[in-house]
Amino acid sequence: MATQIGRLNTLRVVKEKEFGVYLNAEELGEILLPRRYVPKGLEIGQDVEVFVYLDSEDKLIATTDLPKAQVGEFAGLTAIAVNQVGAFFDWGLPKDLLVPFSQQKNRVEEGETHLLFIYLDNITNRIVATTRIDTLLNREEAPYKSGDKVSIIIGDKTDIGFKCIIENRFWGVLFFEDAFRQLRKGEKTTGFIKRIREDGKIDLSLQEVGYKKVRNILDDIMDYLDAHGGESPLTDKASPEAIYAVFKVSKATYKKALGALYKDKKIQLTKEKISKI
């Protein structure tokens, strides 16, 4: 497989120097992996997984450090500098990620977090990014069904909730009622498909949908009671934050689960506590 700039690659060590080792990148030639990134015990003839990019002098270089996202992916990143060329974002590598002015949907200011798409400039081989991402999403019919587990990136806050990027492929909406914990723009997390609307738009949830989400925490509640002497102060009056901190579900889901356990005569409920029967 051809070595890809801006992606993880598995390359073979072919030469060793005091300042590092050289890796065989086939058509791209030999690429330096500086000494500070060389894993202990790595020898000539062995393979190593590295990220390949251009350093500050536009020379190909390898690193075992992982960026926050790779070429072909979306990410929520924060701008750390702006100059006459464009905005530079922290993506976890020594050389910051450039978003040229021509690739900014709205003018980026230092300190702002934006959703970006990272790509390779085919002319310069430089890794750059764009905030003009709308046309890169929703290019096909969504293959999901209600209840599917997906990876999401939290985007802009709107009047009804949060825009989210789903699996690097689609826009979705996480309504406030389904966002029961504090979220930050650019955060990567797990979500669930709540519904696919007739117009193709996708609604999301941070927890499993339907009664399944209730059923899945019943054992967690009983295990918690067992571990705490058969009692818990987390009644149905507890704060959403306290409930989420322990069970990672919304207060509404937690209350439904308590109701199910009470109906099955597994717990007793008072204003002060829950007790195992």
Side-chain angles (χ1 to χ4, degrees):
M1 185 176 180
T3 302
Q4 295 178 287
I5 300 173
R7 302 286 303 179
L8 281 176
N9 299 267
T10 300
L11 303 179
R12 181 154 297 176
V13 179
V14 293
K15 191 185 304 179
E16 184 172 7
K17 298 290 184 180
E18 283 188 17
F19 47 83
V21 299
Y22 282 92
L23 309 174
N24 180 14
E26 303 293 345
E27 71 286 350
L28 296 180
E30 295 180 354
I31 298 177
L32 174 66
L33 176 64
R35 177 61 60 188
R36 64 182 177 276
Y37 300 120
V38 177
K40 187 176 181 179
L42 186 66
E43 299 178 350
I44 293 175
Q46 293 182 329
D47 292 340
V48 61
E49 188 174 56
V50 294
F51 183 80
V52 176
Y53 70 113
L54 271 66
D55 64 13
S56 57
E57 297 178 354
D58 286 340
K59 294 180 179 179
L60 284 174
I61 197 166
T63 177
T64 50
D65 285 349
L66 294 179
K68 297 175 181 177
Q70 302 182 58
V71 163
E73 296 179 348
F74 294 86
L77 302 176
T78 300
I80 58 173
V82 177
N83 63 18
Q84 68 277 10
V85 178
F88 292 85
F89 286 75
D90 173 20
W91 67 320
L93 294 180
K95 183 180 179 182
D96 299 320
L97 181 66
L98 171 66
V99 176
F101 286 122
S102 63
Q103 292 299 324
Q104 297 178 19
K105 181 178 180 180
N106 298 302
R107 187 56 61 93
V108 175
E109 300 293 339
E110 184 177 332
E112 291 180 343
T113 297
H114 289 265
L115 294 187
L116 314 176
F117 179 75
I118 302 172
Y119 67 98
L120 187 67
D121 186 312
N122 292 326
I123 297 175
T124 64
N125 273 342
R126 292 175 181 169
I127 302 169
V128 289
T130 179
T131 65
R132 300 177 181 274
I133 63 175
D134 286 329
T135 59
L136 303 175
L137 296 163
N138 294 4
R139 290 183 166 187
E140 56 189 306
E141 184 177 347
Y144 310 117
K145 62 181 183 300
S146 178
D148 283 353
K149 184 178 180 179
V150 291
S151 63
I152 62 175
I153 303 174
I154 305 299
D156 289 321
K157 189 175 183 180
T158 69
D159 292 337
I160 58 175
F162 297 88
K163 293 181 68 176
C164 300
I165 294 176
I166 305 170
E167 301 281 357
N168 284 310
R169 298 168 67 188
F170 302 97
W171 277 122
V173 175
L174 177 64
F175 289 96
F176 288 130
E177 65 190 66
D178 297 304
F180 47 83
R181 65 175 177 84
Q182 191 171 21
L183 298 168
R184 58 178 176 79
K185 186 176 179 180
E187 177 183 347
K188 290 184 178 181
T189 189
T190 297
F192 297 87
I193 303 298
K194 188 173 182 180
R195 70 175 67 88
I196 307 290
R197 291 186 248 166
E198 290 185 2
D199 60 3
K201 293 181 180 178
I202 304 172
D203 295 344
L204 294 163
S205 173
L206 287 186
Q207 59 188 5
E208 291 183 292
V209 298
Y211 187 72
K212 184 178 180 181
K213 64 188 177 185
V214 176
R215 188 174 65 246
N216 284 349
I217 70 160
L218 297 180
D219 288 342
D220 292 340
I221 294 173
M222 298 305 293
D223 289 344
Y224 184 85
L225 290 171
D226 287 338
H228 293 80
E231 295 183 348
S232 169
L234 292 173
T235 68
D236 55 1
K237 305 299 182 184
S239 70
E241 294 78 15
I243 292 168
Y244 182 80
V246 176
F247 296 106
K248 299 296 185 287
V249 296
S250 68
K251 182 172 181 176
T253 296
Y254 183 68
K255 289 177 69 174
K256 289 178 182 177
L258 292 184
L261 291 172
Y262 179 79
K263 185 177 180 181
D264 289 342
K265 295 183 171 54
K266 292 184 176 180
I267 61 170
Q268 288 181 334
L269 290 169
T270 67
K271 291 182 179 180
E272 292 78 25
K273 64 183 179 179
I274 302 166
S275 302
K276 183 179 178 181
I277 296 176

